[in-house]
PDB file of all heavy atoms in Angstrom:
ATOM      1  N   SER Q 183      68.596 137.751 109.099  1.00  0.00           N
ATOM      2  CA  SER Q 183      68.409 136.758 110.153  1.00  0.00           C
ATOM      3  C   SER Q 183      69.787 136.510 110.747  1.00  0.00           C
ATOM      4  O   SER Q 183      70.768 137.096 110.326  1.00  0.00           O
ATOM      5  CB  SER Q 183      67.841 135.477 109.557  1.00  0.00           C
ATOM      6  OG  SER Q 183      68.832 134.830 108.792  1.00  0.00           O
ATOM      7  N   GLY Q 184      69.865 135.626 111.706  1.00  0.00           N
ATOM      8  CA  GLY Q 184      71.175 135.345 112.289  1.00  0.00           C
ATOM      9  C   GLY Q 184      71.952 134.300 111.511  1.00  0.00           C
ATOM     10  O   GLY Q 184      72.999 133.837 111.953  1.00  0.00           O
ATOM     11  N   GLY Q 185      71.442 133.908 110.337  1.00  0.00           N
ATOM     12  CA  GLY Q 185      72.067 132.814 109.577  1.00  0.00           C
ATOM     13  C   GLY Q 185      73.292 133.262 108.790  1.00  0.00           C
ATOM     14  O   GLY Q 185      73.778 134.392 108.926  1.00  0.00           O
ATOM     15  N   ASP Q 341      67.875 130.886 115.248  1.00  0.00           N
ATOM     16  CA  ASP Q 341      67.040 131.990 114.794  1.00  0.00           C
ATOM     17  C   ASP Q 341      65.588 131.533 114.662  1.00  0.00           C
ATOM     18  O   ASP Q 341      64.657 132.305 114.778  1.00  0.00           O
ATOM     19  CB  ASP Q 341      67.597 132.470 113.438  1.00  0.00           C
ATOM     20  CG  ASP Q 341      66.593 133.279 112.660  1.00  0.00           C
ATOM     21  OD1 ASP Q 341      66.019 134.175 113.274  1.00  0.00           O
ATOM     22  OD2 ASP Q 341      66.389 132.994 111.476  1.00  0.00           O
ATOM     23  N   CYS Q 342      65.416 130.233 114.450  1.00  0.00           N
ATOM     24  CA  CYS Q 342      64.065 129.766 114.162  1.00  0.00           C
ATOM     25  C   CYS Q 342      63.747 128.571 115.070  1.00  0.00           C
ATOM     26  O   CYS Q 342      64.569 127.672 115.214  1.00  0.00           O
ATOM     27  CB  CYS Q 342      64.026 129.363 112.687  1.00  0.00           C
ATOM     28  SG  CYS Q 342      62.507 128.591 112.242  1.00  0.00           S
TER      29      CYS Q 342
HETATM   30 MG1  LIG V 402      67.616 131.641 108.589  1.00  0.00          MG
END
Side-chain angles (χ1 to χ4, degrees):
S183 71
D341 161 48
C342 173

